[in-house]
């Protein structure tokens, strides 16, 4: 949204210049592929809800219409099946005395009864017996549905494990490279110990290396100043105390993201994207 167009008398040339500058900057970002530009005046309501008579040269939609209709389906990965287990359901009632379901939110792909699946990190394989939601069985489950899955075989599964399709597994490892944004007023400890929360798994993590920071104005790497302060962005490497079941953030925004927690204060100090 290119705001405050009223301050330049709704000049199309000023708007075009801003759009060109933004496109030039965004072209250096490898994960920004679809950008819409809307000239508005929030103060006067131009192009916010209804089309503005002050900018007849603009033929696109208003801001509100765009937000209500923009296609967001491409943000979900419907190919690689991922199901982080949040809770094991054991009712222990007369009606459901032998029921064992694994509850969570589908993080990618499509699951159906009869699918061959593997449980990570154990590596045990089985088939999906049924998919339950709101008291009924579903024919399929896909992101971002929250469901409970039952399996044909009894496997030791707990919170933090992940059910995946056997033919398309994620990465499983303890060495993680990531881009992070630092949230805390307290600087990052270059060899500090933190807690990493990734999907439904929580483990300890050690900062192995601070590789570089990013100058957000030029997008150039800064390797001479590696102290992460509030709002700094850059690349680090981590070593976790237990394997993380993960994907690259570009492939899956859920299994490719995490937060870092200060174990002393329980403060969320950073958000990360696995590279």
């Amino acid at each position: 949204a290119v705001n405050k167009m009223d301050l330049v008398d709704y000049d199309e040339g000023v708007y075009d210049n801003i759009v060109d500058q933004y496109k030039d900057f965004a072209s250096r970002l490898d994960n920004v592929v679809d950008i819409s530009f809307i000239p508005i005046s929030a103060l006067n309501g131009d192009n916010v809800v209804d089309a503005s008579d002050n900018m007849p040269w603009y033929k696109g939609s208003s801001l509100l219409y765009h937000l209500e209709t923009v296609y967001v389906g491409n943000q979900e990965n419907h190919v690689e099946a991922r199901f982080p287990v949040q809770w094991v359901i054991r009712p222990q009632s007369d009606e459901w005395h032998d029921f064992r379901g694994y509850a969570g939110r589908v993080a990618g792909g499509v699951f159906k009864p009869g699918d061959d699946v593997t449980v990570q990190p154990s590596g045990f394989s089985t088939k999906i017996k049924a998919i339950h939601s709101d008291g009924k069985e579903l024919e399929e489950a896909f992101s971002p549905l929250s469901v409970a899955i039952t399996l044909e075989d009894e496997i030791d599964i707990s919170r933090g494990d992940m059910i995946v399709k056997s033919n398309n597994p994620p990465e499983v490892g303890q060495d993680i490279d990531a881009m992070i944004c630092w949230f805390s007023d307290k600087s990052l400890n270059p060899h500090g110990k933190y807690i990493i929360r990734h999907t439904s798994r929580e483990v300890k993590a050690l900062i192995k290396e601070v590789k570089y920071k990013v100058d957000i104005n030029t997008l150039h790497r800064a390797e001479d100043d590696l102290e992460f302060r509030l709002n700094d962005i850059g690349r680090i490497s981590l070593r976790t105390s237990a394997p993380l079941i993960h994907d690259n953030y570009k492939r899956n925004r859920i299994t490719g993201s995490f937060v870092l927690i200060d174990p002393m204060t329980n403060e969320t100090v950073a958000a990360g994207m696995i590279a």
Side-chain angles (χ1 to χ4, degrees):
V2 183
N3 193 21
K4 302 186 184 299
M5 288 299 298
D6 54 299
L7 298 183
V8 294
D9 296 325
Y10 304 99
D11 190 322
E12 182 181 8
V14 174
Y15 166 78
D16 289 339
N17 185 48
I18 292 173
V19 169
D20 290 341
Q21 290 184 49
Y22 198 95
K23 284 182 176 180
D24 179 64
F25 181 82
S27 66
R28 288 168 277 170
L29 299 169
D30 59 1
N31 59 341
V32 178
V33 296
D34 183 18
I35 308 175
S36 299
F37 297 91
I38 304 174
I40 70 170
S41 168
L43 178 65
N44 298 327
D46 293 283
N47 283 336
V48 177
V49 177
D50 300 314
S52 171
D53 294 332
N54 294 314
M55 291 177 280
W57 43 266
Y58 173 71
K59 305 300 182 183
S61 62
S62 68
L63 178 62
L64 181 61
Y65 181 84
H66 177 77
L67 293 175
E68 289 179 335
T69 60
V70 62
Y71 179 68
V72 295
N74 57 357
Q75 297 185 30
E76 303 287 350
N77 184 331
H78 292 299
V79 176
E80 296 162 328
R82 307 285 186 262
F83 186 76
V85 176
Q86 295 183 15
W87 193 255
V88 180
I89 301 175
R90 295 296 303 275
Q92 296 181 347
S93 63
D94 292 337
E95 184 181 2
W96 303 96
H97 67 278
D98 61 347
F99 184 89
R100 178 182 291 181
Y102 305 100
R105 183 179 182 184
V106 181
V110 179
F111 291 92
K112 297 180 180 180
D115 282 348
D116 292 314
V117 294
T118 301
V119 180
Q120 297 288 0
S122 67
F124 290 114
S125 297
T126 183
K127 290 180 180 290
I128 293 179
K129 181 178 181 180
I131 301 173
H132 304 263
S133 177
D134 195 25
K136 56 182 180 293
E137 295 189 9
L138 303 181
E139 294 183 359
E140 62 180 13
F142 49 86
S143 180
L145 292 180
S146 294
V147 298
I149 292 177
T150 55
L151 304 175
E152 292 189 356
D153 301 293
E154 288 196 9
I155 298 175
D156 185 14
I157 301 174
S158 59
R159 176 181 171 86
D161 292 346
M162 189 179 295
I163 299 172
V164 304
K165 287 283 189 70
S166 302
N167 62 346
N168 202 350
E171 297 289 329
V172 180
Q174 294 176 255
D175 293 303
I176 306 295
D177 273 4
M179 295 293 295
I180 66 166
C181 179
W182 192 251
F183 292 162
S184 177
D185 292 321
K186 181 181 177 182
S187 298
L188 177 146
N189 184 346
H191 299 289
K193 296 179 180 179
Y194 296 91
I195 295 171
I196 185 169
R197 289 179 180 166
H198 170 263
T199 62
S200 55
R201 174 165 285 226
E202 181 177 299
V203 298
K204 296 178 181 179
L206 172 70
I207 307 295
K208 287 177 56 180
E209 182 184 3
V210 178
K211 295 188 175 181
Y212 59 83
K213 293 198 302 186
V214 175
D215 185 326
I216 62 172
N217 295 309
T218 64
L219 300 184
H220 293 158
R221 297 182 181 182
E223 299 178 348
D224 53 342
D225 175 18
L226 298 181
E227 182 180 359
F228 272 73
R229 306 174 187 87
L230 181 64
N231 293 331
D232 278 344
I233 296 173
R235 190 178 183 116
I236 65 171
S237 61
L238 298 159
R239 174 78 175 180
T240 59
S241 60
L244 292 187
I245 307 124
H246 64 276
D247 295 287
N248 186 293
Y249 182 81
K250 294 179 183 178
R251 298 175 64 179
N252 191 307
R253 295 173 61 181
I254 300 176
T255 59
S257 62
F258 63 86
V259 295
L260 291 179
I261 310 295
D262 185 327
M264 301 300 294
T265 64
N266 206 34
E267 175 191 8
T268 301
V269 295
M273 300 179 292
I274 298 174

